[in-house]
Amino acid sequence: MTLIKFIEIMAILVGAFSGFIEARRKRMDLVGVFTVAFITAFGGGTMRDLLLDKRPLFWVTHQEYAILIFVLALVASPLIRTLRQIVSERLIVIADAIGLGLFTIAGVASALAHGMPLFIASMMGVITGIFGGVLRDIVCNEVPMVFRDGRPYAICAFLGSWMFIGMRLYGIDYDTALWTSAFFITALRLISWKFGMRVPASGP
Amino acid sequence: MTLIKFIEIMAILVGAFSGFIEARRKRMDLVGVFTVAFITAFGGGTMRDLLLDKRPLFWVTHQEYAILIFVLALVASPLIRTLRQIVSERLIVIADAIGLGLFTIAGVASALAHGMPLFIASMMGVITGIFGGVLRDIVCNEVPMVFRDGRPYAICAFLGSWMFIGMRLYGIDYDTALWTSAFFITALRLISWKFGMRVPASGP
Amino acid sequence: MTLIKFIEIMAILVGAFSGFIEARRKRMDLVGVFTVAFITAFGGGTMRDLLLDKRPLFWVTHQEYAILIFVLALVASPLIRTLRQIVSERLIVIADAIGLGLFTIAGVASALAHGMPLFIASMMGVITGIFGGVLRDIVCNEVPMVFRDGRPYAICAFLGSWMFIGMRLYGIDYDTALWTSAFFITALRLISWKFGMRVPASGP
């Protein structure tokens, strides 16, 4: 299995896992657990492709991921408590940061390939990176966490998107630009987390 | 009027009616009543067609249904209380179960016709069957009922979708497969309702 | 700068401003403020274009508007309180009414140009006019104001849409029809506001 495939699967699992936890907090049944996990894992990329009118959707051509989440939902529901003990908070944050980096850059790259203007391309990157969680929170009837917790998350994705755009404009090859920017996002997210940096709030 | 046309209209009316009741519970005005009824009746099929990139949408080519809901919203608002006395709980559940069966199979069939992989096709069937109610609850600022009430609903749609897929794979003709699977979903929903069967919850 | 360009920008600014205020009420951070402002300003037209399958989206081909909202979000957050003192309630209502008229007619016109049936075209007009606010309220975890406040808003858009459709059917030229109907919507909204007219509620 290639590295990117491994990271891709891990990123999807992390998204699904955060969906499991949120669905369980809301006392959802099996159907809710699967749906919320699926939306969290694929919502960002789906939103981007709907806006760009790109088809078929990623999860449509890779049904193995949908099946994977389906099977996990069947086994996870009773195991969530145990899972949360095995999987430490730190591990979740790290895996999520890797997913944020990877999905964001995949989003920018896809938008540039569709000839989007640069600022829109950076927005598509951020949307790909964060909208899974946004849709998860909307379905769970919460104000999206990423809009209110004041921790740098979307901002890391935004800065990394511009790093990728800049590197491409300067003729740096695709793979180098992808891996450097994705790593930058992940590192920035983890550093800002470790040092408890804050995004300015809209004040009282 | 053909049987399928009659069922189609009845299914749409049931969706609209559940939208009326929810909108009224939220003290919405006429605009909200129409919109929520419309979303409940057509949200599932619209969501499926957005994901499949199928156009024009059903309700766009059949504006008579939109007009029907519009007229009903005008007359229904003041009559809801009376309507709820005329229309028994049991009648609503039966009609809704018929709609669930019909819409779900229509969704799977449409997805298969678009060459979707089998698991995705079954998901499209469920989405068509349940997402009207999901969007209704999101607009009404509730956690979607179908994700938390623990009653078999989406699961009936899921099993029926696979019944249709299986019958088609075994070369059974379209109409037989459609009616058998739709009836199966409706029956399963009504039986599980009558005996109070439960979907496993995600636990405490 | 042409008149229509000026009105367009003003309408977008008004949408963004109402997004700022709502995001701030929810104590959102900078990311939430930008996203909610953006959704409020462009959500209606985006929803219409998704339903009509029209691409590229307005804000994709005019990234200057996205950049404008981005810059405003950066400076507005700390200034909201001051802004609300400068910008009177009355001014917001007037500007919003102008935006409602313009966006609604732009929506009907676009739907007619896509060969939509008349009733659907009028719905697309209303969706374009009001769904920015609807999506804003959903993201902010509120029941959409336009569905429950009982003030004529969507109804003004609906009547104006039919005025435009009627004028076009009677062969009145595009520009005359556009400006007359847009003005009609704006005037109707302001008059109904001034005299506190009510939309029938769905009752107790």
Side-chain angles (χ1 to χ4, degrees), chain B residues 124-168:
Chain B
M124 292 295 171
V126 177
I127 287 171
T128 311
I130 74 171
F131 252 74
V134 169
L135 293 174
R136 174 201 63 209
D137 294 343
I138 289 174
V139 170
C140 290
N141 202 20
E142 303 278 354
V143 176
M145 175 66 72
V146 65
F147 295 157
R148 58 186 166 88
D149 75 345
R151 310 302 299 270
Y153 190 81
I155 286 175
C156 305
F158 183 72
L159 296 175
S161 297
W162 280 103
M163 185 180 202
F164 179 80
I165 293 169
M167 292 175 88
R168 293 297 286 152

mmCIF file of all heavy atoms in Angstrom, chain B residues 124-168:
data_model
loop_
_atom_site.group_PDB
_atom_site.id
_atom_site.type_symbol
_atom_site.label_atom_id
_atom_site.label_comp_id
_atom_site.label_asym_id
_atom_site.label_seq_id
_atom_site.Cartn_x
_atom_site.Cartn_y
_atom_site.Cartn_z
ATOM 1 N N MET B 124 -28.011 5.648 -2.085
ATOM 2 C CA MET B 124 -28.843 6.637 -2.783
ATOM 3 C C MET B 124 -30.322 6.323 -2.555
ATOM 4 O O MET B 124 -31.144 7.225 -2.429
ATOM 5 C CB MET B 124 -28.523 6.647 -4.276
ATOM 6 C CG MET B 124 -27.144 7.181 -4.620
ATOM 7 S SD MET B 124 -26.978 8.940 -4.195
ATOM 8 C CE MET B 124 -25.213 9.174 -4.462
ATOM 9 N N GLY B 125 -30.643 5.043 -2.491
ATOM 10 C CA GLY B 125 -32.022 4.661 -2.206
ATOM 11 C C GLY B 125 -32.445 5.163 -0.828
ATOM 12 O O GLY B 125 -33.496 5.788 -0.671
ATOM 13 N N VAL B 126 -31.589 4.922 0.164
ATOM 14 C CA VAL B 126 -31.907 5.353 1.525
ATOM 15 C C VAL B 126 -31.990 6.878 1.595
ATOM 16 O O VAL B 126 -32.925 7.434 2.175
ATOM 17 C CB VAL B 126 -30.858 4.816 2.523
ATOM 18 C CG1 VAL B 126 -31.143 5.327 3.925
ATOM 19 C CG2 VAL B 126 -30.834 3.299 2.499
ATOM 20 N N ILE B 127 -31.028 7.549 0.958
ATOM 21 C CA ILE B 127 -31.032 9.021 0.959
ATOM 22 C C ILE B 127 -32.337 9.552 0.378
ATOM 23 O O ILE B 127 -32.988 10.433 0.941
ATOM 24 C CB ILE B 127 -29.820 9.568 0.155
ATOM 25 C CG1 ILE B 127 -28.526 9.351 0.946
ATOM 26 C CG2 ILE B 127 -30.008 11.043 -0.188
ATOM 27 C CD1 ILE B 127 -27.262 9.655 0.155
ATOM 28 N N THR B 128 -32.767 8.957 -0.759
ATOM 29 C CA THR B 128 -34.020 9.395 -1.379
ATOM 30 C C THR B 128 -35.194 9.177 -0.432
ATOM 31 O O THR B 128 -36.097 9.997 -0.345
ATOM 32 C CB THR B 128 -34.263 8.622 -2.687
ATOM 33 O OG1 THR B 128 -33.082 8.653 -3.474
ATOM 34 C CG2 THR B 128 -35.412 9.223 -3.469
ATOM 35 N N GLY B 129 -35.144 8.065 0.304
ATOM 36 C CA GLY B 129 -36.266 7.738 1.179
ATOM 37 C C GLY B 129 -36.339 8.567 2.447
ATOM 38 O O GLY B 129 -37.425 8.889 2.932
ATOM 39 N N ILE B 130 -35.163 8.938 3.002
ATOM 40 C CA ILE B 130 -35.185 9.552 4.333
ATOM 41 C C ILE B 130 -34.753 11.018 4.390
ATOM 42 O O ILE B 130 -35.064 11.709 5.364
ATOM 43 C CB ILE B 130 -34.301 8.766 5.335
ATOM 44 C CG1 ILE B 130 -32.809 8.998 5.087
ATOM 45 C CG2 ILE B 130 -34.642 7.278 5.307
ATOM 46 C CD1 ILE B 130 -31.910 8.441 6.164
ATOM 47 N N PHE B 131 -34.044 11.531 3.364
ATOM 48 C CA PHE B 131 -33.436 12.858 3.540
ATOM 49 C C PHE B 131 -34.417 14.020 3.525
ATOM 50 O O PHE B 131 -34.098 15.111 3.999
ATOM 51 C CB PHE B 131 -32.279 13.084 2.577
ATOM 52 C CG PHE B 131 -30.947 13.047 3.269
ATOM 53 C CD1 PHE B 131 -30.421 11.837 3.692
ATOM 54 C CD2 PHE B 131 -30.247 14.204 3.549
ATOM 55 C CE1 PHE B 131 -29.210 11.785 4.374
ATOM 56 C CE2 PHE B 131 -29.038 14.167 4.234
ATOM 57 C CZ PHE B 131 -28.521 12.954 4.639
ATOM 58 N N GLY B 132 -35.614 13.786 2.995
ATOM 59 C CA GLY B 132 -36.621 14.837 3.117
ATOM 60 C C GLY B 132 -36.869 15.163 4.583
ATOM 61 O O GLY B 132 -36.854 16.324 4.995
ATOM 62 N N GLY B 133 -37.033 14.122 5.390
ATOM 63 C CA GLY B 133 -37.262 14.303 6.820
ATOM 64 C C GLY B 133 -36.030 14.846 7.533
ATOM 65 O O GLY B 133 -36.136 15.649 8.463
ATOM 66 N N VAL B 134 -34.848 14.414 7.068
ATOM 67 C CA VAL B 134 -33.611 14.896 7.683
ATOM 68 C C VAL B 134 -33.480 16.407 7.474
ATOM 69 O O VAL B 134 -33.247 17.158 8.427
ATOM 70 C CB VAL B 134 -32.385 14.167 7.082
ATOM 71 C CG1 VAL B 134 -31.087 14.838 7.506
ATOM 72 C CG2 VAL B 134 -32.383 12.702 7.488
ATOM 73 N N LEU B 135 -33.689 16.854 6.235
ATOM 74 C CA LEU B 135 -33.577 18.292 5.945
ATOM 75 C C LEU B 135 -34.673 19.069 6.671
ATOM 76 O O LEU B 135 -34.423 20.171 7.178
ATOM 77 C CB LEU B 135 -33.651 18.524 4.434
ATOM 78 C CG LEU B 135 -32.464 17.962 3.639
ATOM 79 C CD1 LEU B 135 -32.700 18.117 2.147
ATOM 80 C CD2 LEU B 135 -31.162 18.630 4.051
ATOM 81 N N ARG B 136 -35.868 18.491 6.749
ATOM 82 C CA ARG B 136 -36.956 19.143 7.502
ATOM 83 C C ARG B 136 -36.503 19.414 8.944
ATOM 84 O O ARG B 136 -36.642 20.534 9.449
ATOM 85 C CB ARG B 136 -38.195 18.240 7.523
ATOM 86 C CG ARG B 136 -39.337 18.750 8.403
ATOM 87 C CD ARG B 136 -40.264 17.599 8.780
ATOM 88 N NE ARG B 136 -39.546 16.602 9.582
ATOM 89 C CZ ARG B 136 -39.828 15.292 9.604
ATOM 90 N NH1 ARG B 136 -40.787 14.806 8.855
ATOM 91 N NH2 ARG B 136 -39.133 14.468 10.371
ATOM 92 N N ASP B 137 -35.913 18.380 9.580
ATOM 93 C CA ASP B 137 -35.502 18.542 10.981
ATOM 94 C C ASP B 137 -34.357 19.534 11.127
ATOM 95 O O ASP B 137 -34.302 20.286 12.104
ATOM 96 C CB ASP B 137 -35.117 17.180 11.566
ATOM 97 C CG ASP B 137 -36.319 16.248 11.657
ATOM 98 O OD1 ASP B 137 -37.468 16.740 11.577
ATOM 99 O OD2 ASP B 137 -36.120 15.027 11.775
ATOM 100 N N ILE B 138 -33.440 19.559 10.137
ATOM 101 C CA ILE B 138 -32.321 20.509 10.212
ATOM 102 C C ILE B 138 -32.859 21.941 10.104
ATOM 103 O O ILE B 138 -32.507 22.807 10.903
ATOM 104 C CB ILE B 138 -31.283 20.232 9.109
ATOM 105 C CG1 ILE B 138 -30.535 18.931 9.416
ATOM 106 C CG2 ILE B 138 -30.305 21.401 8.970
ATOM 107 C CD1 ILE B 138 -29.583 18.482 8.321
ATOM 108 N N VAL B 139 -33.763 22.186 9.146
ATOM 109 C CA VAL B 139 -34.342 23.526 9.000
ATOM 110 C C VAL B 139 -35.138 23.908 10.245
ATOM 111 O O VAL B 139 -35.143 25.069 10.657
ATOM 112 C CB VAL B 139 -35.243 23.598 7.747
ATOM 113 C CG1 VAL B 139 -36.038 24.895 7.705
ATOM 114 C CG2 VAL B 139 -34.389 23.471 6.491
ATOM 115 N N CYS B 140 -35.759 22.908 10.869
ATOM 116 C CA CYS B 140 -36.535 23.184 12.091
ATOM 117 C C CYS B 140 -35.666 23.166 13.336
ATOM 118 O O CYS B 140 -36.168 23.179 14.460
ATOM 119 C CB CYS B 140 -37.667 22.184 12.218
ATOM 120 S SG CYS B 140 -38.942 22.444 10.972
ATOM 121 N N ASN B 141 -34.332 23.108 13.141
ATOM 122 C CA ASN B 141 -33.390 23.187 14.249
ATOM 123 C C ASN B 141 -33.553 22.050 15.264
ATOM 124 O O ASN B 141 -33.555 22.265 16.482
ATOM 125 C CB ASN B 141 -33.524 24.557 14.940
ATOM 126 C CG ASN B 141 -32.274 24.938 15.721
ATOM 127 O OD1 ASN B 141 -31.192 24.390 15.463
ATOM 128 N ND2 ASN B 141 -32.426 25.835 16.666
ATOM 129 N N GLU B 142 -33.698 20.828 14.740
ATOM 130 C CA GLU B 142 -33.767 19.627 15.580
ATOM 131 C C GLU B 142 -32.700 18.637 15.111
ATOM 132 O O GLU B 142 -32.302 18.660 13.939
ATOM 133 C CB GLU B 142 -35.137 18.932 15.418
ATOM 134 C CG GLU B 142 -36.335 19.784 15.735
ATOM 135 C CD GLU B 142 -36.607 19.838 17.219
ATOM 136 O OE1 GLU B 142 -35.936 19.117 17.980
ATOM 137 O OE2 GLU B 142 -37.476 20.632 17.617
ATOM 138 N N VAL B 143 -32.240 17.753 16.008
ATOM 139 C CA VAL B 143 -31.423 16.626 15.577
ATOM 140 C C VAL B 143 -32.362 15.698 14.802
ATOM 141 O O VAL B 143 -33.433 15.350 15.304
ATOM 142 C CB VAL B 143 -30.805 15.876 16.771
ATOM 143 C CG1 VAL B 143 -30.040 14.650 16.283
ATOM 144 C CG2 VAL B 143 -29.887 16.797 17.564
ATOM 145 N N PRO B 144 -32.004 15.328 13.546
ATOM 146 C CA PRO B 144 -32.932 14.534 12.729
ATOM 147 C C PRO B 144 -33.483 13.307 13.470
ATOM 148 O O PRO B 144 -32.732 12.498 13.997
ATOM 149 C CB PRO B 144 -32.075 14.122 11.536
ATOM 150 C CG PRO B 144 -31.112 15.260 11.386
ATOM 151 C CD PRO B 144 -30.796 15.670 12.806
ATOM 152 N N MET B 145 -34.802 13.226 13.496
ATOM 153 C CA MET B 145 -35.501 12.144 14.185
ATOM 154 C C MET B 145 -35.009 10.769 13.751
ATOM 155 O O MET B 145 -34.762 9.888 14.568
ATOM 156 C CB MET B 145 -37.008 12.276 13.903
ATOM 157 C CG MET B 145 -37.857 11.169 14.452
ATOM 158 S SD MET B 145 -37.846 11.172 16.253
ATOM 159 C CE MET B 145 -38.862 12.640 16.566
ATOM 160 N N VAL B 146 -34.813 10.602 12.440
ATOM 161 C CA VAL B 146 -34.459 9.289 11.898
ATOM 162 C C VAL B 146 -33.085 8.808 12.394
ATOM 163 O O VAL B 146 -32.766 7.636 12.313
ATOM 164 C CB VAL B 146 -34.496 9.319 10.353
ATOM 165 C CG1 VAL B 146 -33.428 10.249 9.805
ATOM 166 C CG2 VAL B 146 -34.355 7.934 9.762
ATOM 167 N N PHE B 147 -32.281 9.740 12.934
ATOM 168 C CA PHE B 147 -30.953 9.353 13.440
ATOM 169 C C PHE B 147 -30.985 8.999 14.929
ATOM 170 O O PHE B 147 -29.984 8.545 15.481
ATOM 171 C CB PHE B 147 -29.942 10.489 13.244
ATOM 172 C CG PHE B 147 -29.672 10.813 11.809
ATOM 173 C CD1 PHE B 147 -29.179 12.064 11.468
ATOM 174 C CD2 PHE B 147 -29.906 9.889 10.794
ATOM 175 C CE1 PHE B 147 -28.925 12.372 10.140
ATOM 176 C CE2 PHE B 147 -29.659 10.199 9.472
ATOM 177 C CZ PHE B 147 -29.170 11.443 9.148
ATOM 178 N N ARG B 148 -32.123 9.277 15.600
ATOM 179 C CA ARG B 148 -32.068 9.112 17.058
ATOM 180 C C ARG B 148 -33.245 8.380 17.663
ATOM 181 O O ARG B 148 -33.197 8.000 18.834
ATOM 182 C CB ARG B 148 -31.927 10.478 17.736
ATOM 183 C CG ARG B 148 -33.044 11.449 17.422
ATOM 184 C CD ARG B 148 -32.736 12.831 18.009
ATOM 185 N NE ARG B 148 -33.627 13.836 17.431
ATOM 186 C CZ ARG B 148 -34.823 14.151 17.922
ATOM 187 N NH1 ARG B 148 -35.299 13.528 18.969
ATOM 188 N NH2 ARG B 148 -35.559 15.081 17.326
ATOM 189 N N ASP B 149 -34.344 8.176 16.901
ATOM 190 C CA ASP B 149 -35.522 7.601 17.574
ATOM 191 C C ASP B 149 -35.416 6.088 17.745
ATOM 192 O O ASP B 149 -36.252 5.477 18.398
ATOM 193 C CB ASP B 149 -36.819 7.992 16.859
ATOM 194 C CG ASP B 149 -37.020 7.209 15.566
ATOM 195 O OD1 ASP B 149 -36.036 6.599 15.100
ATOM 196 O OD2 ASP B 149 -38.130 7.213 15.039
ATOM 197 N N GLY B 150 -34.380 5.465 17.124
ATOM 198 C CA GLY B 150 -34.159 4.048 17.361
ATOM 199 C C GLY B 150 -35.230 3.136 16.778
ATOM 200 O O GLY B 150 -35.258 1.946 17.065
ATOM 201 N N ARG B 151 -36.136 3.687 15.947
ATOM 202 C CA ARG B 151 -37.127 2.839 15.270
ATOM 203 C C ARG B 151 -36.582 2.464 13.899
ATOM 204 O O ARG B 151 -35.973 3.309 13.228
ATOM 205 C CB ARG B 151 -38.465 3.576 15.099
ATOM 206 C CG ARG B 151 -39.006 4.227 16.341
ATOM 207 C CD ARG B 151 -39.228 3.248 17.482
ATOM 208 N NE ARG B 151 -40.213 2.201 17.145
ATOM 209 C CZ ARG B 151 -41.523 2.320 17.379
ATOM 210 N NH1 ARG B 151 -42.002 3.441 17.901
ATOM 211 N NH2 ARG B 151 -42.345 1.336 17.101
ATOM 212 N N PRO B 152 -36.785 1.228 13.451
ATOM 213 C CA PRO B 152 -36.309 0.866 12.110
ATOM 214 C C PRO B 152 -37.024 1.692 11.044
ATOM 215 O O PRO B 152 -38.257 1.670 10.983
ATOM 216 C CB PRO B 152 -36.690 -0.616 11.987
ATOM 217 C CG PRO B 152 -36.876 -1.085 13.386
ATOM 218 C CD PRO B 152 -37.426 0.104 14.133
ATOM 219 N N TYR B 153 -36.268 2.460 10.272
ATOM 220 C CA TYR B 153 -36.849 3.276 9.209
ATOM 221 C C TYR B 153 -35.853 3.278 8.045
ATOM 222 O O TYR B 153 -36.097 2.648 7.017
ATOM 223 C CB TYR B 153 -37.122 4.685 9.727
ATOM 224 C CG TYR B 153 -37.937 5.551 8.796
ATOM 225 C CD1 TYR B 153 -39.319 5.424 8.761
ATOM 226 C CD2 TYR B 153 -37.333 6.481 7.971
ATOM 227 C CE1 TYR B 153 -40.080 6.210 7.906
ATOM 228 C CE2 TYR B 153 -38.080 7.269 7.109
ATOM 229 C CZ TYR B 153 -39.452 7.131 7.084
ATOM 230 O OH TYR B 153 -40.195 7.911 6.218
ATOM 231 N N ALA B 154 -34.689 3.911 8.276
ATOM 232 C CA ALA B 154 -33.641 3.878 7.257
ATOM 233 C C ALA B 154 -33.228 2.439 6.977
ATOM 234 O O ALA B 154 -32.940 2.060 5.838
ATOM 235 C CB ALA B 154 -32.440 4.696 7.718
ATOM 236 N N ILE B 155 -33.249 1.617 8.028
ATOM 237 C CA ILE B 155 -32.817 0.221 7.871
ATOM 238 C C ILE B 155 -33.780 -0.556 6.964
ATOM 239 O O ILE B 155 -33.362 -1.365 6.131
ATOM 240 C CB ILE B 155 -32.671 -0.448 9.258
ATOM 241 C CG1 ILE B 155 -31.397 0.095 9.924
ATOM 242 C CG2 ILE B 155 -32.648 -1.958 9.142
ATOM 243 C CD1 ILE B 155 -31.192 -0.374 11.337
ATOM 244 N N CYS B 156 -35.079 -0.277 7.071
ATOM 245 C CA CYS B 156 -36.042 -0.911 6.163
ATOM 246 C C CYS B 156 -35.720 -0.521 4.724
ATOM 247 O O CYS B 156 -35.726 -1.357 3.815
ATOM 248 C CB CYS B 156 -37.468 -0.477 6.509
ATOM 249 S SG CYS B 156 -37.932 -0.774 8.210
ATOM 250 N N ALA B 157 -35.406 0.770 4.537
ATOM 251 C CA ALA B 157 -35.089 1.262 3.190
ATOM 252 C C ALA B 157 -33.817 0.590 2.679
ATOM 253 O O ALA B 157 -33.735 0.192 1.514
ATOM 254 C CB ALA B 157 -34.916 2.781 3.213
ATOM 255 N N PHE B 158 -32.826 0.437 3.577
ATOM 256 C CA PHE B 158 -31.542 -0.165 3.196
ATOM 257 C C PHE B 158 -31.735 -1.618 2.757
ATOM 258 O O PHE B 158 -31.280 -2.025 1.673
ATOM 259 C CB PHE B 158 -30.572 -0.072 4.380
ATOM 260 C CG PHE B 158 -29.204 -0.582 4.089
ATOM 261 C CD1 PHE B 158 -28.335 0.124 3.265
ATOM 262 C CD2 PHE B 158 -28.761 -1.776 4.652
ATOM 263 C CE1 PHE B 158 -27.063 -0.349 2.997
ATOM 264 C CE2 PHE B 158 -27.484 -2.251 4.387
ATOM 265 C CZ PHE B 158 -26.635 -1.535 3.564
ATOM 266 N N LEU B 159 -32.461 -2.397 3.555
ATOM 267 C CA LEU B 159 -32.687 -3.808 3.216
ATOM 268 C C LEU B 159 -33.478 -3.942 1.917
ATOM 269 O O LEU B 159 -33.157 -4.750 1.050
ATOM 270 C CB LEU B 159 -33.418 -4.513 4.369
ATOM 271 C CG LEU B 159 -32.636 -4.603 5.684
ATOM 272 C CD1 LEU B 159 -33.491 -5.204 6.784
ATOM 273 C CD2 LEU B 159 -31.357 -5.407 5.492
ATOM 274 N N GLY B 160 -34.483 -3.084 1.758
ATOM 275 C CA GLY B 160 -35.286 -3.130 0.531
ATOM 276 C C GLY B 160 -34.479 -2.768 -0.705
ATOM 277 O O GLY B 160 -34.683 -3.337 -1.782
ATOM 278 N N SER B 161 -33.545 -1.819 -0.511
ATOM 279 C CA SER B 161 -32.683 -1.443 -1.636
ATOM 280 C C SER B 161 -31.885 -2.647 -2.117
ATOM 281 O O SER B 161 -31.789 -2.900 -3.321
ATOM 282 C CB SER B 161 -31.712 -0.332 -1.205
ATOM 283 O OG SER B 161 -32.411 0.825 -0.842
ATOM 284 N N TRP B 162 -31.348 -3.412 -1.149
ATOM 285 C CA TRP B 162 -30.553 -4.581 -1.525
ATOM 286 C C TRP B 162 -31.422 -5.671 -2.136
ATOM 287 O O TRP B 162 -30.982 -6.422 -3.007
ATOM 288 C CB TRP B 162 -29.761 -5.098 -0.334
ATOM 289 C CG TRP B 162 -28.538 -4.270 -0.131
ATOM 290 C CD1 TRP B 162 -28.353 -3.313 0.817
ATOM 291 C CD2 TRP B 162 -27.364 -4.269 -0.948
ATOM 292 N NE1 TRP B 162 -27.129 -2.712 0.641
ATOM 293 C CE2 TRP B 162 -26.499 -3.290 -0.425
ATOM 294 C CE3 TRP B 162 -26.961 -4.991 -2.071
ATOM 295 C CZ2 TRP B 162 -25.250 -3.015 -0.988
ATOM 296 C CZ3 TRP B 162 -25.717 -4.721 -2.630
ATOM 297 C CH2 TRP B 162 -24.881 -3.743 -2.090
ATOM 298 N N MET B 163 -32.687 -5.749 -1.682
ATOM 299 C CA MET B 163 -33.598 -6.726 -2.286
ATOM 300 C C MET B 163 -33.772 -6.388 -3.774
ATOM 301 O O MET B 163 -33.670 -7.250 -4.642
ATOM 302 C CB MET B 163 -34.943 -6.673 -1.581
ATOM 303 C CG MET B 163 -35.919 -7.712 -2.050
ATOM 304 S SD MET B 163 -37.466 -7.519 -1.138
ATOM 305 C CE MET B 163 -38.139 -9.153 -1.364
ATOM 306 N N PHE B 164 -33.971 -5.082 -4.065
ATOM 307 C CA PHE B 164 -34.145 -4.661 -5.454
ATOM 308 C C PHE B 164 -32.883 -4.950 -6.263
ATOM 309 O O PHE B 164 -32.937 -5.539 -7.352
ATOM 310 C CB PHE B 164 -34.472 -3.162 -5.508
ATOM 311 C CG PHE B 164 -34.638 -2.620 -6.900
ATOM 312 C CD1 PHE B 164 -35.834 -2.796 -7.586
ATOM 313 C CD2 PHE B 164 -33.601 -1.948 -7.534
ATOM 314 C CE1 PHE B 164 -35.989 -2.302 -8.879
ATOM 315 C CE2 PHE B 164 -33.753 -1.447 -8.825
ATOM 316 C CZ PHE B 164 -34.948 -1.633 -9.488
ATOM 317 N N ILE B 165 -31.717 -4.588 -5.690
ATOM 318 C CA ILE B 165 -30.448 -4.827 -6.386
ATOM 319 C C ILE B 165 -30.271 -6.311 -6.674
ATOM 320 O O ILE B 165 -29.953 -6.715 -7.800
ATOM 321 C CB ILE B 165 -29.265 -4.294 -5.535
ATOM 322 C CG1 ILE B 165 -29.317 -2.766 -5.451
ATOM 323 C CG2 ILE B 165 -27.928 -4.752 -6.122
ATOM 324 C CD1 ILE B 165 -28.360 -2.156 -4.435
ATOM 325 N N GLY B 166 -30.545 -7.140 -5.661
ATOM 326 C CA GLY B 166 -30.403 -8.589 -5.825
ATOM 327 C C GLY B 166 -31.313 -9.123 -6.922
ATOM 328 O O GLY B 166 -30.882 -9.880 -7.802
ATOM 329 N N MET B 167 -32.578 -8.692 -6.894
ATOM 330 C CA MET B 167 -33.530 -9.192 -7.890
ATOM 331 C C MET B 167 -33.103 -8.792 -9.302
ATOM 332 O O MET B 167 -33.201 -9.584 -10.245
ATOM 333 C CB MET B 167 -34.931 -8.660 -7.584
ATOM 334 C CG MET B 167 -35.526 -9.238 -6.311
ATOM 335 S SD MET B 167 -37.117 -8.478 -5.889
ATOM 336 C CE MET B 167 -38.238 -9.537 -6.826
ATOM 337 N N ARG B 168 -32.592 -7.557 -9.440
ATOM 338 C CA ARG B 168 -32.139 -7.103 -10.756
ATOM 339 C C ARG B 168 -30.930 -7.919 -11.218
ATOM 340 O O ARG B 168 -30.854 -8.327 -12.375
ATOM 341 C CB ARG B 168 -31.784 -5.614 -10.723
ATOM 342 C CG ARG B 168 -32.980 -4.704 -10.490
ATOM 343 C CD ARG B 168 -34.000 -4.796 -11.601
ATOM 344 N NE ARG B 168 -33.536 -4.124 -12.820
ATOM 345 C CZ ARG B 168 -33.912 -4.474 -14.051
ATOM 346 N NH1 ARG B 168 -34.712 -5.507 -14.229
ATOM 347 N NH2 ARG B 168 -33.461 -3.816 -15.098
#
